[in-house]
Amino acid sequence: MTQKRNLISVLDMKDEWSELVELAIKLKAERGNHNAPLDGKTLAMMFEKPSTRTRISFDVAITELGGHALYIDVSKMQMGHGETVEDTAKVMSRFVHGIMYRAFDYKMMDKIGDNSSVPVISGLDDLEHPCQALADMVTVKEKKGGFRGRKLVYLGDGNNVCNSLLYAAAILGLDMVACCPATRMPNAEIMLAAARIADANGSRITASHDPAEACVDADVLYTDTWISMGDSTPEETALKLFKMYQINDGLLSIAKKDCIVMHCLPAHRGQEITGDVMDGPHSVVFDQAENRLHAQKAVLYKLLK
Ligand code: CP
Ligand code: NVA
């Protein structure tokens, strides 16, 4: 029997990241003809926070692969009412073939991952969002033809999405600049680890606080909400802090002419991105959202088959 594996951090599947991107692209082309490789498999989807894309794309992904998804609102589980997280993971492992979990706290994610005997896939926590990063890399590959020599600039809050992107970019050899205010840089350990991986790969992971400088020659501009779920920063404070990091026509004019604009969504039009840019010719945000489905099929196939 092979050991079960998790995808909680991008690094958990570091050596297969390239293969996952290719598999997602293949499964996208084969949509409707999958031959039920996950026939009889059940995925439990535990949510502590709201979701549109993650919930729907995982449900559709496993259904189209022949399996079945269970949506679970964590606040309605016994786990929130006295049962330990460890016992919960052990019990769930007796019922289902995989667990997808969206958590507030990465420590809870790790506990579920460590105590479950079936694969645990992160649907986002406060530290990472690996499935988003995989869909993002599929999108970059489709739109830009590859990773080497391409430059992605992430603008705004150095959050979970940014952290996973740093790892994914470093692994695949994409140059990435995390352009964030000094007080909202990505996780320092992740930034350092990603920079080391990139060094070994001949690519570059750098930091900047200056969007006008960072966006020069960019192939991809990427942003996310300025206030993540569970972040108590007042809106007024965030609006001031991040104002200069908004993706708008001005920043777009600094990037390469064929630059694409990405956002993991949900977007706050008029904050981190203008409505004009989001609906404009550079935006690939809806293709990117669709790629969640194909990317997650690749993950489910690799971990649950
Ligand atoms: N991008 C993303 O994870 O979206 P949801 O919060 O809608 O799942
Ligand atoms: N950074 C955002 C991503 C939402 C998909 C959050 O954590 O709320």
Side-chain angles (χ1 to χ4, degrees):
M1 227 180 80
T2 50
Q3 180 106 28
K4 74 103 185 190
R5 293 181 307 147
N6 299 328
L7 177 57
I8 289 177
S9 165
V10 168
L11 293 188
D12 292 335
M13 296 187 81
K14 179 174 181 283
D15 297 334
E16 289 144 288
W17 210 249
S18 226
E19 195 190 323
L20 282 170
V21 170
E22 295 310 323
L23 181 58
I25 291 171
K26 180 172 170 275
L27 290 167
K28 184 171 182 173
E30 287 174 5
R31 191 171 183 195
N33 295 300
H34 293 320
N35 230 353
L38 298 187
D39 183 28
K41 307 270 184 185
T42 299
L43 177 74
M45 308 193 300
M46 296 167 61
F47 283 90
E48 288 179 6
K49 304 181 190 180
S51 169
T52 296
R53 280 143 290 270
T54 304
R55 177 179 177 178
I56 299 170
S57 58
F58 262 108
D59 195 332
V60 175
I62 189 140
T63 304
E64 290 188 359
L65 293 176
H68 172 71
L70 280 177
Y71 172 79
I72 302 163
D73 173 349
V74 173
S75 71
K76 302 285 192 301
M77 294 180 86
Q78 300 290 13
M79 188 169 97
H81 301 93
E83 187 165 27
T84 68
V85 59
E86 291 85 350
D87 290 348
T88 304
K90 287 175 190 156
V91 170
M92 289 182 70
S93 302
R94 302 292 178 105
F95 295 137
V96 300
H97 304 92
I99 297 171
M100 195 283 295
Y101 182 27
R102 169 165 286 194
F104 276 102
D105 184 348
Y106 76 90
K107 292 188 216 78
M108 291 288 280
M109 181 73 76
D110 282 344
K111 276 189 191 169
I112 292 279
D114 290 347
N115 289 281
S116 145
S117 58
V118 297
V120 174
I121 302 167
S122 168
L124 172 154
D125 58 29
D126 52 344
L127 213 50
E128 283 201 56
H129 197 358
C131 293
Q132 180 66 53
L134 181 59
D136 298 342
M137 292 301 127
V138 169
T139 310
V140 171
K141 176 85 198 266
E142 282 179 340
K143 304 288 177 190
K144 291 283 147 200
F147 304 106
R148 292 248 160 240
R150 279 77 163 182
K151 174 182 173 185
L152 181 149
V153 181
Y154 177 93
L155 295 142
D157 187 21
N159 59 18
N160 43 10
V161 168
C162 181
N163 288 335
S164 283
L165 269 176
L166 284 165
Y167 276 148
I171 290 167
L172 293 172
L174 175 69
D175 294 336
M176 176 167 166
V177 185
C179 183
C180 314
T183 52
R184 302 288 286 241
M185 291 305 287
N187 177 278
E189 275 175 38
I190 292 180
M191 185 87 195
L192 195 64
R196 285 208 183 108
I197 296 169
D199 261 358
N201 263 345
S203 58
R204 277 183 311 166
I205 297 289
T206 51
S208 166
H209 307 307
D210 179 356
E213 186 188 64
C215 292
V216 174
D217 280 339
D219 297 284
V220 183
L221 299 187
Y222 194 120
T223 192
D224 183 18
T225 179
W226 290 339
I227 307 175
S228 284
M229 294 179 277
D231 178 354
S232 55
T233 306
E235 188 171 26
E236 206 190 336
T237 309
L239 291 183
K240 274 196 211 127
L241 181 64
F242 294 113
K243 189 169 183 276
M244 67 190 271
Y245 298 86
Q246 180 190 64
I247 301 190
N248 52 31
D249 285 333
L251 275 193
L252 204 46
S253 71
I254 298 170
K256 279 191 186 158
K257 290 227 163 349
D258 62 350
C259 171
I260 56 169
V261 172
M262 298 178 66
H263 191 312
C264 67
L265 305 182
H268 302 81
R269 289 165 178 258
Q271 294 192 11
E272 70 272 7
I273 186 166
T274 60
D276 283 353
V277 169
M278 187 145 153
D279 298 326
H282 296 272
S283 171
V284 299
V285 299
F286 299 112
D287 291 334
Q288 181 186 356
E290 182 197 317
N291 283 336
R292 293 293 304 276
L293 172 68
H294 312 300
Q296 280 147 205
K297 277 185 187 168
V299 172
L300 290 167
Y301 185 88
K302 286 289 282 183
L303 295 183
L304 266 61
K305 175 93 165 68

